[in-house]
Amino acid sequence: MSKSKEIEAATGVLNYLNQNNRPYSAVDIFNNLHKEYGKTAVVRSLEDLANNGKIREKVYGKQKVYVADQSQFPTVEENELKEMDLKIAQLKEKVQASETEARKMENVLHGLNSTMKTEDVKSKLLETTKECKQYKERIDKLMSADNHIAPEEKNKIYSDHKTFVKEWRKRKRMATEITNAILEGYPKTKKQLFEDIGLETDEEYSVKPPDI
């Protein structure tokens, strides 16, 4: 290895130990530096730095551990350590709260992605409402007619009516679930959400699914 490469490796290793100020083995440092320097270069740099008094070497059985020279760091008072510990605890709480919120939002997003889009639901709801109204008008007309219809046609009409009313209720329930999911993270009111996305409701037109 060239002299410049040796100096570069030694500088990188020294900076890493000083910045993190934690004990590491040669393998730890080699991996944590993303293998930027060869393992042999890292080991040699640690040994040279320790021999020159720039870092400290501790031997535990067959394991060697290296740490930054603590004399270069200012002395920390006991109350400062307590303040640091308190700040670390507060930051950990914030991290945990953020992770919980992130998981909650991921669940909401997953739910929204697995259902129909709002525009599709709105379009389908209006379409189903229109069809139900047309079928109801047809049924009313047929029921009030003087002439009789075939039993098969009558049964089909009632069957279709039941099917479309069920579909209406199903779509209405889906639309309600989706808007409720959106509202969990929506900063405005439900009324404002409906206005923003242009969603029209049965209540606006004084209609509701008929009994079946």
Side-chain angles (χ1 to χ4, degrees):
M1 181 185 292
S2 66
K3 190 66 175 178
S4 60
K5 289 293 184 180
E6 291 180 359
I7 295 174
E8 181 182 346
T11 301
V13 170
L14 179 61
N15 289 340
Y16 179 79
L17 284 172
N18 287 337
Q19 289 171 4
N20 291 275
N21 195 21
R22 290 178 54 187
Y24 293 102
S25 67
V27 174
D28 291 334
I29 296 173
F30 171 67
N31 291 327
N32 293 346
L33 289 176
H34 307 292
K35 303 179 182 180
E36 181 177 353
Y37 312 109
K39 186 175 180 181
T40 301
V42 171
V43 172
R44 185 179 301 162
S45 296
L46 289 168
E47 292 176 348
D48 290 343
L49 290 169
N51 292 334
N52 293 328
K54 294 183 178 181
I55 61 174
R56 294 291 178 263
E57 178 185 274
K58 300 290 184 179
V59 180
Y60 300 95
K62 297 182 179 181
Q63 179 73 34
K64 289 184 179 180
V65 176
Y66 300 89
V67 67
D69 180 13
Q70 299 301 300
S71 64
Q72 65 181 308
F73 300 113
T75 303
V76 181
E77 299 294 335
E78 184 67 24
N79 61 333
E80 290 183 276
L81 289 174
K82 290 181 179 179
E83 290 178 0
M84 290 180 184
D85 290 339
L86 178 60
K87 187 174 182 180
I88 290 172
Q90 293 172 342
L91 291 174
K92 284 183 178 180
E93 290 181 359
K94 290 183 178 180
V95 169
Q96 291 176 350
S98 297
E99 290 176 344
T100 300
E101 183 64 20
R103 286 193 294 269
K104 180 179 177 181
M105 297 306 296
E106 286 177 356
N107 291 335
V108 172
L109 180 61
H110 176 72
L112 292 174
N113 288 335
S114 61
T115 58
M116 294 177 64
K117 294 182 179 179
T118 302
E119 289 300 321
D120 294 336
V121 173
K122 181 180 69 172
S123 176
K124 190 65 177 178
L125 178 61
L126 293 176
E127 179 184 343
T128 304
T129 302
K130 182 179 179 181
E131 290 177 351
C132 286
K133 184 178 180 181
Q134 291 173 345
Y135 278 107
K136 186 177 183 302
E137 291 174 350
R138 184 181 176 190
I139 291 172
D140 291 341
K141 184 177 179 180
L142 292 172
M143 292 289 290
S144 62
D146 294 334
N147 59 321
H148 297 285
I149 61 174
E152 294 79 9
E153 184 176 359
K154 179 181 177 181
N155 291 336
K156 184 178 185 305
I157 291 172
Y158 278 109
S159 177
D160 289 344
H161 172 257
K162 185 176 182 180
T163 298
F164 282 106
V165 170
K166 285 184 177 179
E167 186 66 16
W168 183 353
R169 290 176 176 173
K170 176 182 176 182
R171 298 297 179 179
K172 183 178 179 66
R173 183 174 65 255
M174 289 175 60
T176 300
E177 291 175 352
I178 291 174
T179 53
N180 286 340
I182 294 174
L183 283 169
E184 289 184 6
Y186 194 73
K188 301 178 183 178
T189 63
K190 179 188 289 187
K191 180 179 179 181
Q192 187 62 50
L193 171 62
F194 287 2
E195 291 178 359
D196 290 343
I197 65 178
L199 181 62
E200 298 176 334
T201 65
D202 293 344
E203 289 73 15
E204 290 182 62
Y205 296 93
S206 301
V207 296
K208 64 179 181 179
D211 295 329
I212 55 175

